[in-house]
Amino acid sequence: MQADLFYRSTCILAEGPCWHSRRRSLWWTDIEGKSLYEFPWPDGPVRPRPVPRRVSLLVAAADGRLLLGMQGGLALYDPDTEAQTFLCALEPGQPAQRTNDGGCDGTGRIWVGTMDRGCRPGAGSLYAVGADLIPRPVLRGLTIPNGIAWSADQARMYFIDTPTRCVRSYRYDPADGSLADEQVAVRIDPALGAPDGMCLDEEGMLWIALWGGSAVGRFHPQSGTLLDRIHLPVPHVSSCAFAGDDLDQLVITTAREHLDAAALRRYPLSGSLFTARPGVRGRPVAPFQPEKINSV
């Protein structure tokens, strides 16, 4: 299957695609370009929005705002006024660290990874942030914490630390966010690229962006089998998310980062967004619920 060009851009590191059902718009971020983008569905036009910090994670909030995972912490962002409300700090006083991927579980708990900007091995962590807004480290010693997703029944959590080239599966307790029974669900052959962002479809299969592999792969989380692949005309595929009113389009972000001039001439669409209709729908992603913050 081939992906179609959705929006031509020169994002350095496009990431974090997020379908905001309340606003009927698609959002994404250029981490290194310090910009957010909104595409009102289905015709646009795209609205670029500069931000002062590197934003890596976007989660739609139930009240219409967006939760941002950004260098230094979490904040709520009002798309209408562009005002930010800072919620909590993450690894303050460590300018070499930034946030990376993350997500929201079915209870509204936020999970966000941190990493060294130079990808120093073992410098990353995965935090869980509940209604009390206290970041709690759950996994340490990571390098590039990336895709995260939960099964429909919230019984399993899937998580990627990119250099390990695998998806790990954990038994998940949504009551307290605890993890147990760590297993390797999927091993990515180096010939396919490195696993980056990830989402689940309505059949429970994992869609994984393959950095350096010019593709997004669909994998079975029990057998680890590669079931399908969407090919792109660029090498660095960073993330993917289902979008649209019916969640029937897979939107895919890409990057120009680490490509020299010769590579950019060969792959001029690097940094653009692509889309495909894979014949299966996505699952609605749980929104962040700001109202729970004051209920503690």
Side-chain angles (χ1 to χ4, degrees), residues 9-10 19 41 44 50 54 76 111 118 129 132 141 149 158 177-179 185 187 189 207 238 260 263 269 280 294:
S9 69
T10 56
W19 171 247
W41 208 261
R54 292 175 177 83
L76 275 169
W111 290 73
V129 184
D132 59 5
Y158 303 101
S178 60
L179 306 180
R187 294 188 187 277
D189 188 318
W207 291 87
S238 55
D260 61 19
L269 294 178
V280 64
N294 297 321

Side-chain angles (χ1 to χ4, degrees), residues 12 23 60 71 93 131 134 145 167 179 200 212 219 263 271 280 288 291 294:
I12 302 169
R23 289 181 63 88
Q71 190 166 4
I134 298 174
V167 181
L179 306 180
L200 265 76
F219 294 84
V280 64
F288 177 64
E291 67 276 9
N294 297 321

Side-chain angles (χ1 to χ4, degrees), residues 127-145:
Y127 292 88
V129 184
D132 59 5
L133 296 178
I134 298 174
R136 294 178 172 84
V138 178
L139 298 176
R140 295 281 203 184
L142 308 174
T143 300
I144 307 177

Side-chain angles (χ1 to χ4, degrees), residues 56 70-74 89-92 94 96-102 111-117 120 122-127 135 137 139-146 159 161:
S56 64
M70 59 189 184
Q71 190 166 4
L74 301 180
L90 286 166
E91 301 180 344
Q94 299 186 52
Q97 296 285 102
R98 69 164 174 84
T99 58
N100 203 42
D101 212 340
W111 290 73
V112 59
T114 62
M115 59 177 283
D116 177 77
R117 288 177 54 205
R120 181 165 57 89
S125 298
L126 181 66
Y127 292 88
L139 298 176
R140 295 281 203 184
L142 308 174
T143 300
I144 307 177
N146 244 314
F159 172 68
D161 183 14

Side-chain angles (χ1 to χ4, degrees), residues 4-49:
D4 297 317
L5 180 65
F6 177 76
Y7 175 68
R8 183 166 188 156
S9 69
T10 56
C11 289
I12 302 169
L13 180 53
E15 265 280 10
C18 169
W19 171 247
H20 199 312
S21 59
R22 180 163 173 166
R23 289 181 63 88
R24 294 191 67 241
S25 63
L26 174 75
W27 289 77
W28 69 95
T29 178
D30 180 0
I31 297 176
E32 293 301 328
K34 296 183 180 178
S35 295
L36 305 180
Y37 295 84
E38 181 182 19
F39 181 89
W41 208 261
D43 300 317
V46 168
R47 301 171 185 167
R49 302 160 184 255

